[in-house]
Amino acid sequence: MKIALGVLGLVFAMGVALEIVLRLRYGLGDPPLYVADDLMGYRLAPNQSLRRRGNRIAINDYSMRGPSLSPHRPSQTLRVLLLGDSIVNGGWWTDQSALLSMKVQAFLDNDLIQDTAQTSGLTQAEVFNASANSWGPRNELGYVQRFGTFESQVVMLVINTDDLFAIAPNSYELGRHPAYPIRRPPLALWEVIRRRQPYQPSPEFQALHNEPGDRVGVNLEAIRQLNAQVASSQGRLLLAMTPLRRELDNGSRDYEQVARQRLIAFAAAEGIPYLDFLPRFQSLDHAALYFDHIHLNAQGNQVVGQALAEWVMEHGGVGMDGEKP
């Protein structure tokens, strides 16, 4: 009996020790949570602060990855609303300080705004990060329909090649897929076990992926509506696209090339300044810019952040006192 109790005590102590390590070192047991939204499908739950793998993640009251903000723009401030999916969001692998939005803001503040302060009347920049994993143009349109543009002079939509084929906004996988929890697990060990279990998408979610029709055209229409909404808020929409890593290694597939050409023609017809990072990355050691097959690492965010900041100053159309002329 004593031996059995001793073994049970040892197992319990080892479990407690493992739980502590998983929580303190990896941040497991406290994942970013999501909430359903009828306009954008889902978004990060507001007002969260946590660490994953040592990286700090902070979500404000507008479901942005960033600090609290005023809905009204301060005078002499250039505001940029950065919209995107997990590339903009940065996920658990990106610390708050290394986010793409933070890189854009740093370049605007340190290198660009100061050089033009006398003519533009701007003295500082604020770059907001409104994003979530697997968002597409229709999700991002829904975000602006829900919250507006926060009086941003520039709204920057950053997409990747896959986003041209994004499905309709939905919340089917919230609370089902381990990457989209709606409540915290009781234990870090529980989260580990949950993530290792086989996952089967819901029939409703699978049906969206199997839905026929011109999905590229539907997403381009969402960008057109986003452009109209931004213009109605006295802002300017800019569009940028990052490539998949395999496009740099092996070239884009035929259907991707067709979709890319449609996007180029669409942006030109709508008067939306468009920045394609595919040719830019081809001239660089692109392998050093990626965290995985699609997401950027800190160095990638640095390269893209500088280019986006320059794109904002070149095409943002900001005049004296930060107003659009």
Side-chain angles (χ1 to χ4, degrees):
M1 185 65 177
K2 290 183 178 180
I3 295 176
L5 290 175
V7 170
L8 288 175
L10 179 61
V11 171
F12 178 78
M14 292 175 63
V16 171
L18 180 58
E19 178 75 16
I20 293 173
V21 169
L22 291 174
R23 284 185 175 273
L24 296 183
R25 183 170 181 177
Y26 299 104
L28 294 170
D30 188 21
L33 304 180
Y34 290 81
V35 294
D37 189 290
D38 58 352
L39 290 177
M40 67 201 85
Y42 59 91
R43 53 187 167 92
L44 284 160
N47 301 313
Q48 301 183 69
S49 181
L50 53 109
R51 284 186 180 273
R52 300 285 276 186
R53 306 286 181 92
N55 295 315
R56 187 168 62 91
I57 298 174
I59 311 299
N60 68 16
D61 45 348
Y62 291 102
S63 294
M64 294 178 180
R65 190 163 178 190
S68 298
L69 60 95
S70 167
H72 303 294
R73 177 177 59 83
S75 63
Q76 299 181 307
T77 298
L78 171 60
R79 274 193 166 181
V80 179
L81 176 60
L82 201 61
L83 296 170
D85 60 4
S86 53
I87 292 174
V88 171
N89 184 266
W92 60 262
W93 58 90
T94 309
D95 186 76
Q96 203 76 12
S97 63
L99 292 172
L100 182 57
S101 51
M102 297 299 295
K103 298 300 182 183
V104 175
Q105 181 168 315
F107 280 113
L108 287 173
D109 273 337
N110 299 332
D111 297 331
L112 300 177
I113 283 185
Q114 299 306 321
D115 294 339
T116 61
Q118 290 186 349
T119 56
S120 70
L122 299 169
T123 60
Q124 66 175 351
E126 293 179 331
V127 181
F128 305 139
N129 188 321
S131 58
N133 293 347
S134 298
W135 267 9
R138 286 176 278 183
N139 304 87
E140 290 134 1
L141 171 63
Y143 184 92
V144 172
Q145 290 172 333
R146 171 71 67 201
F147 294 114
T149 64
F150 304 92
E151 300 182 355
S152 299
Q153 298 100 319
V154 177
V155 175
M156 175 75 78
L157 176 61
V158 179
I159 63 175
N160 65 79
T161 308
D162 280 350
D163 290 340
L164 294 173
F165 309 94
I167 62 175
N170 69 92
S171 58
Y172 294 134
E173 300 303 273
L174 294 194
R176 289 177 49 90
H177 195 294
Y180 298 94
I182 58 176
R183 61 179 63 87
R184 289 181 175 82
L187 297 169
L189 282 167
W190 181 278
E191 183 179 353
V192 172
I193 295 170
R194 178 77 173 86
R195 287 178 175 272
R196 290 182 176 275
Q197 291 176 338
Y199 173 72
Q200 181 65 39
S202 66
E204 297 85 356
F205 185 71
Q206 192 61 50
L208 288 178
H209 278 280
N210 297 334
E211 189 175 24
D214 182 12
R215 197 177 298 170
V216 174
V218 172
N219 284 309
L220 292 180
E221 171 60 20
I223 298 175
R224 188 196 66 77
Q225 292 181 32
L226 178 62
N227 186 37
Q229 183 139 349
V230 171
S232 70
S233 300
Q234 309 304 310
R236 181 77 183 274
L237 179 68
L238 307 182
L239 175 63
M241 184 160 72
T242 60
L244 307 175
R245 182 172 170 176
R246 65 165 171 75
E247 292 184 274
L248 297 162
D249 295 331
N250 305 310
S252 301
R253 295 168 179 168
D254 290 345
Y255 69 89
E256 293 169 338
Q257 294 180 24
V258 171
R260 281 177 163 274
Q261 289 303 314
R262 290 182 65 181
L263 178 63
I264 292 171
F266 164 82
E270 294 293 325
I272 303 172
Y274 171 59
L275 177 59
D276 186 359
F277 279 94
L278 179 60
R280 186 178 298 238
F281 279 18
Q282 287 172 332
S283 65
L284 302 173
D285 178 15
H286 62 266
L289 306 179
Y290 282 85
F291 170 76
D292 55 20
H293 71 289
I294 187 171
H295 302 106
L296 302 172
N297 58 21
Q299 184 177 342
N301 283 344
Q302 184 83 0
V303 171
V304 173
Q306 180 175 1
L308 292 182
E310 293 169 351
W311 196 247
V312 166
M313 296 304 292
E314 181 179 356
H315 295 282
V318 180
M320 289 296 292
D321 298 321
E323 299 295 338
K324 278 195 68 184

Short mmCIF file of all heavy atoms in Angstrom, two decimals, residues 64 73 77-83 101 104-105 108 113 125-130 149-157 236 238 308-309 312-313 318:
data_model
loop_
_atom_site.label_atom_id
_atom_site.label_comp_id
_atom_site.label_asym_id
_atom_site.label_seq_id
_atom_site.Cartn_x
_atom_site.Cartn_y
_atom_site.Cartn_z
N MET A 64 -7.12 44.00 -31.84
CA MET A 64 -5.86 44.23 -32.54
C MET A 64 -4.71 43.67 -31.71
O MET A 64 -4.76 43.66 -30.48
CB MET A 64 -5.59 45.72 -32.75
CG MET A 64 -6.53 46.43 -33.67
SD MET A 64 -6.06 48.17 -33.69
CE MET A 64 -7.26 48.84 -34.84
N ARG A 73 -7.86 60.16 -34.18
CA ARG A 73 -6.46 60.39 -34.47
C ARG A 73 -5.96 61.69 -33.86
O ARG A 73 -6.56 62.74 -34.07
CB ARG A 73 -6.25 60.43 -36.00
CG ARG A 73 -4.82 60.73 -36.43
CD ARG A 73 -4.69 60.69 -37.94
NE ARG A 73 -5.56 61.64 -38.59
CZ ARG A 73 -5.27 62.93 -38.77
NH1 ARG A 73 -4.11 63.42 -38.33
NH2 ARG A 73 -6.12 63.73 -39.38
N THR A 77 -0.39 63.40 -36.52
CA THR A 77 -0.08 61.97 -36.45
C THR A 77 -0.50 61.29 -37.75
O THR A 77 -1.60 61.50 -38.25
CB THR A 77 -0.83 61.31 -35.27
OG1 THR A 77 -0.40 61.90 -34.05
CG2 THR A 77 -0.55 59.81 -35.22
N LEU A 78 0.39 60.48 -38.27
CA LEU A 78 0.07 59.63 -39.41
C LEU A 78 -0.41 58.30 -38.87
O LEU A 78 0.34 57.59 -38.20
CB LEU A 78 1.30 59.42 -40.30
CG LEU A 78 1.15 58.36 -41.42
CD1 LEU A 78 0.02 58.74 -42.37
CD2 LEU A 78 2.46 58.17 -42.16
N ARG A 79 -1.65 57.96 -39.17
CA ARG A 79 -2.20 56.67 -38.74
C ARG A 79 -2.28 55.72 -39.93
O ARG A 79 -2.79 56.10 -41.00
CB ARG A 79 -3.60 56.84 -38.13
CG ARG A 79 -3.58 57.19 -36.66
CD ARG A 79 -4.94 57.04 -36.03
NE ARG A 79 -4.82 57.06 -34.58
CZ ARG A 79 -5.82 56.92 -33.73
NH1 ARG A 79 -7.06 56.74 -34.18
NH2 ARG A 79 -5.61 56.94 -32.43
N VAL A 80 -1.81 54.52 -39.70
CA VAL A 80 -1.87 53.47 -40.70
C VAL A 80 -2.55 52.26 -40.07
O VAL A 80 -2.12 51.76 -39.03
CB VAL A 80 -0.46 53.07 -41.18
CG1 VAL A 80 -0.55 51.94 -42.22
CG2 VAL A 80 0.28 54.26 -41.76
N LEU A 81 -3.63 51.80 -40.69
CA LEU A 81 -4.32 50.59 -40.26
C LEU A 81 -3.83 49.45 -41.13
O LEU A 81 -4.07 49.42 -42.33
CB LEU A 81 -5.83 50.75 -40.37
CG LEU A 81 -6.68 49.52 -40.04
CD1 LEU A 81 -6.45 49.05 -38.61
CD2 LEU A 81 -8.16 49.79 -40.30
N LEU A 82 -3.11 48.51 -40.52
CA LEU A 82 -2.55 47.36 -41.23
C LEU A 82 -3.51 46.19 -41.08
O LEU A 82 -3.77 45.73 -39.96
CB LEU A 82 -1.18 47.03 -40.65
CG LEU A 82 -0.20 46.22 -41.52
CD1 LEU A 82 0.13 46.98 -42.79
CD2 LEU A 82 1.06 45.92 -40.73
N LEU A 83 -4.06 45.71 -42.20
CA LEU A 83 -5.00 44.59 -42.21
C LEU A 83 -4.31 43.37 -42.81
O LEU A 83 -3.60 43.49 -43.82
CB LEU A 83 -6.23 44.93 -43.04
CG LEU A 83 -7.12 46.07 -42.57
CD1 LEU A 83 -8.14 46.42 -43.66
CD2 LEU A 83 -7.84 45.72 -41.28
N SER A 101 3.79 45.35 -38.04
CA SER A 101 3.26 46.68 -37.76
C SER A 101 4.25 47.53 -36.98
O SER A 101 4.38 48.74 -37.22
CB SER A 101 1.94 46.58 -37.00
OG SER A 101 2.08 45.72 -35.88
N VAL A 104 6.98 48.72 -39.42
CA VAL A 104 6.51 49.83 -40.25
C VAL A 104 6.51 51.12 -39.45
O VAL A 104 6.98 52.17 -39.93
CB VAL A 104 5.10 49.52 -40.80
CG1 VAL A 104 4.56 50.73 -41.58
CG2 VAL A 104 5.12 48.29 -41.70
N GLN A 105 6.00 51.06 -38.22
CA GLN A 105 5.96 52.26 -37.40
C GLN A 105 7.36 52.80 -37.10
O GLN A 105 7.59 54.01 -37.14
CB GLN A 105 5.22 51.97 -36.09
CG GLN A 105 5.12 53.19 -35.17
CD GLN A 105 4.15 52.97 -34.03
OE1 GLN A 105 3.05 52.47 -34.24
NE2 GLN A 105 4.53 53.36 -32.83
N LEU A 108 8.71 54.54 -40.18
CA LEU A 108 8.03 55.80 -40.40
C LEU A 108 8.50 56.85 -39.41
O LEU A 108 8.81 58.00 -39.78
CB LEU A 108 6.52 55.61 -40.28
CG LEU A 108 5.82 54.86 -41.42
CD1 LEU A 108 4.37 54.60 -41.07
CD2 LEU A 108 5.93 55.63 -42.73
N ILE A 113 9.27 60.12 -41.48
CA ILE A 113 8.45 61.26 -41.06
C ILE A 113 9.33 62.45 -40.68
O ILE A 113 9.03 63.59 -41.03
CB ILE A 113 7.53 60.86 -39.89
CG1 ILE A 113 6.35 60.06 -40.45
CG2 ILE A 113 7.01 62.09 -39.15
CD1 ILE A 113 5.31 59.70 -39.43
N ALA A 125 4.02 58.58 -36.00
CA ALA A 125 3.19 57.59 -36.70
C ALA A 125 2.59 56.63 -35.70
O ALA A 125 3.18 56.32 -34.66
CB ALA A 125 4.02 56.83 -37.73
N GLU A 126 1.40 56.14 -36.02
CA GLU A 126 0.75 55.06 -35.29
C GLU A 126 0.34 54.01 -36.32
O GLU A 126 -0.38 54.33 -37.27
CB GLU A 126 -0.48 55.55 -34.53
CG GLU A 126 -0.19 56.50 -33.39
CD GLU A 126 -1.46 56.97 -32.70
OE1 GLU A 126 -2.52 57.03 -33.38
OE2 GLU A 126 -1.41 57.26 -31.49
N VAL A 127 0.81 52.79 -36.14
CA VAL A 127 0.48 51.71 -37.07
C VAL A 127 -0.25 50.62 -36.29
O VAL A 127 0.31 50.05 -35.34
CB VAL A 127 1.74 51.14 -37.74
CG1 VAL A 127 1.35 50.03 -38.72
CG2 VAL A 127 2.50 52.25 -38.48
N PHE A 128 -1.47 50.34 -36.68
CA PHE A 128 -2.32 49.39 -35.96
C PHE A 128 -2.32 48.04 -36.68
O PHE A 128 -2.24 47.97 -37.90
CB PHE A 128 -3.74 49.91 -35.85
CG PHE A 128 -3.84 51.27 -35.22
CD1 PHE A 128 -4.72 52.22 -35.71
CD2 PHE A 128 -3.05 51.60 -34.13
CE1 PHE A 128 -4.81 53.47 -35.13
CE2 PHE A 128 -3.13 52.85 -33.54
CZ PHE A 128 -4.01 53.79 -34.04
N ASN A 129 -2.46 46.98 -35.90
CA ASN A 129 -2.36 45.62 -36.42
C ASN A 129 -3.70 44.90 -36.23
O ASN A 129 -3.96 44.32 -35.18
CB ASN A 129 -1.24 44.87 -35.69
CG ASN A 129 -0.94 43.51 -36.28
OD1 ASN A 129 -1.83 42.78 -36.69
ND2 ASN A 129 0.33 43.15 -36.30
N ALA A 130 -4.55 44.96 -37.25
CA ALA A 130 -5.84 44.28 -37.21
C ALA A 130 -5.74 43.04 -38.08
O ALA A 130 -5.74 43.12 -39.31
CB ALA A 130 -6.95 45.20 -37.72
N THR A 149 -12.07 52.71 -39.56
CA THR A 149 -10.64 52.84 -39.87
C THR A 149 -9.88 53.64 -38.84
O THR A 149 -8.69 53.89 -39.01
CB THR A 149 -10.45 53.50 -41.24
OG1 THR A 149 -10.96 54.84 -41.19
CG2 THR A 149 -11.15 52.72 -42.35
N PHE A 150 -10.55 54.07 -37.76
CA PHE A 150 -9.90 54.81 -36.68
C PHE A 150 -9.24 56.09 -37.19
O PHE A 150 -8.18 56.50 -36.72
CB PHE A 150 -8.87 53.91 -35.96
CG PHE A 150 -9.45 52.63 -35.44
CD1 PHE A 150 -9.44 51.48 -36.22
CD2 PHE A 150 -10.05 52.58 -34.19
CE1 PHE A 150 -9.99 50.30 -35.75
CE2 PHE A 150 -10.61 51.41 -33.71
CZ PHE A 150 -10.58 50.27 -34.49
N GLU A 151 -9.89 56.69 -38.18
CA GLU A 151 -9.43 57.95 -38.78
C GLU A 151 -8.04 57.83 -39.37
O GLU A 151 -7.28 58.80 -39.46
CB GLU A 151 -9.49 59.10 -37.75
CG GLU A 151 -10.89 59.36 -37.23
CD GLU A 151 -10.99 60.51 -36.25
OE1 GLU A 151 -9.93 61.07 -35.89
OE2 GLU A 151 -12.11 60.86 -35.86
N SER A 152 -7.69 56.62 -39.82
CA SER A 152 -6.38 56.40 -40.44
C SER A 152 -6.36 57.04 -41.83
O SER A 152 -7.28 56.85 -42.62
CB SER A 152 -6.09 54.91 -40.56
OG SER A 152 -6.07 54.29 -39.29
N GLN A 153 -5.28 57.76 -42.12
CA GLN A 153 -5.13 58.30 -43.46
C GLN A 153 -4.81 57.21 -44.46
O GLN A 153 -5.14 57.32 -45.64
CB GLN A 153 -4.00 59.35 -43.50
CG GLN A 153 -4.23 60.57 -42.62
CD GLN A 153 -3.47 60.45 -41.32
OE1 GLN A 153 -3.42 59.38 -40.72
NE2 GLN A 153 -2.87 61.55 -40.89
N VAL A 154 -4.15 56.14 -43.98
CA VAL A 154 -3.76 55.04 -44.86
C VAL A 154 -4.25 53.73 -44.26
O VAL A 154 -4.08 53.47 -43.06
CB VAL A 154 -2.22 54.98 -45.03
CG1 VAL A 154 -1.83 53.79 -45.90
CG2 VAL A 154 -1.71 56.28 -45.64
N VAL A 155 -4.87 52.91 -45.09
CA VAL A 155 -5.20 51.53 -44.73
C VAL A 155 -4.39 50.63 -45.66
O VAL A 155 -4.49 50.76 -46.88
CB VAL A 155 -6.70 51.24 -44.87
CG1 VAL A 155 -6.99 49.77 -44.60
CG2 VAL A 155 -7.50 52.14 -43.92
N MET A 156 -3.56 49.79 -45.07
CA MET A 156 -2.70 48.91 -45.84
C MET A 156 -3.20 47.47 -45.71
O MET A 156 -3.22 46.90 -44.63
CB MET A 156 -1.26 48.99 -45.33
CG MET A 156 -0.30 48.01 -45.99
SD MET A 156 0.17 48.48 -47.67
CE MET A 156 1.37 49.76 -47.28
N LEU A 157 -3.63 46.89 -46.83
CA LEU A 157 -4.06 45.50 -46.86
C LEU A 157 -2.89 44.65 -47.34
O LEU A 157 -2.40 44.82 -48.46
CB LEU A 157 -5.26 45.33 -47.79
CG LEU A 157 -5.76 43.90 -48.01
CD1 LEU A 157 -6.23 43.28 -46.69
CD2 LEU A 157 -6.88 43.87 -49.04
N ARG A 236 -6.86 56.31 -47.71
CA ARG A 236 -6.34 55.75 -48.96
C ARG A 236 -5.98 54.29 -48.72
O ARG A 236 -5.25 53.97 -47.78
CB ARG A 236 -5.07 56.53 -49.38
CG ARG A 236 -4.43 56.05 -50.70
CD ARG A 236 -5.21 56.57 -51.87
NE ARG A 236 -4.69 56.10 -53.15
CZ ARG A 236 -3.71 56.67 -53.85
NH1 ARG A 236 -3.08 57.72 -53.34
NH2 ARG A 236 -3.35 56.21 -55.03
N LEU A 238 -3.96 51.01 -49.69
CA LEU A 238 -2.79 50.48 -50.37
C LEU A 238 -2.83 48.97 -50.25
O LEU A 238 -3.31 48.42 -49.26
CB LEU A 238 -1.50 51.03 -49.75
CG LEU A 238 -1.37 52.55 -49.63
CD1 LEU A 238 0.00 52.91 -49.06
CD2 LEU A 238 -1.58 53.24 -50.97
N LEU A 308 7.12 48.64 -46.84
CA LEU A 308 5.76 49.14 -46.64
C LEU A 308 5.77 50.59 -46.15
O LEU A 308 4.92 51.40 -46.56
CB LEU A 308 5.01 48.26 -45.64
CG LEU A 308 4.68 46.84 -46.10
CD1 LEU A 308 3.89 46.11 -45.02
CD2 LEU A 308 3.90 46.84 -47.41
N ALA A 309 6.71 50.92 -45.27
CA ALA A 309 6.81 52.30 -44.80
C ALA A 309 7.11 53.25 -45.96
O ALA A 309 6.51 54.34 -46.07
CB ALA A 309 7.89 52.40 -43.72
N VAL A 312 3.99 53.66 -48.01
CA VAL A 312 3.03 54.57 -47.38
C VAL A 312 3.38 56.01 -47.68
O VAL A 312 2.52 56.82 -48.07
CB VAL A 312 2.99 54.33 -45.85
CG1 VAL A 312 2.27 55.47 -45.14
CG2 VAL A 312 2.29 53.01 -45.53
N MET A 313 4.66 56.36 -47.53
CA MET A 313 5.07 57.75 -47.75
C MET A 313 4.98 58.13 -49.22
O MET A 313 4.72 59.28 -49.56
CB MET A 313 6.48 57.95 -47.23
CG MET A 313 6.62 57.77 -45.72
SD MET A 313 5.51 58.83 -44.74
CE MET A 313 6.20 60.45 -45.07
N VAL A 318 -0.72 61.89 -48.15
CA VAL A 318 -0.92 62.67 -46.93
C VAL A 318 -0.33 64.06 -47.12
O VAL A 318 0.82 64.22 -47.52
CB VAL A 318 -0.26 61.97 -45.73
CG1 VAL A 318 -0.46 62.78 -44.47
CG2 VAL A 318 -0.85 60.58 -45.56
#
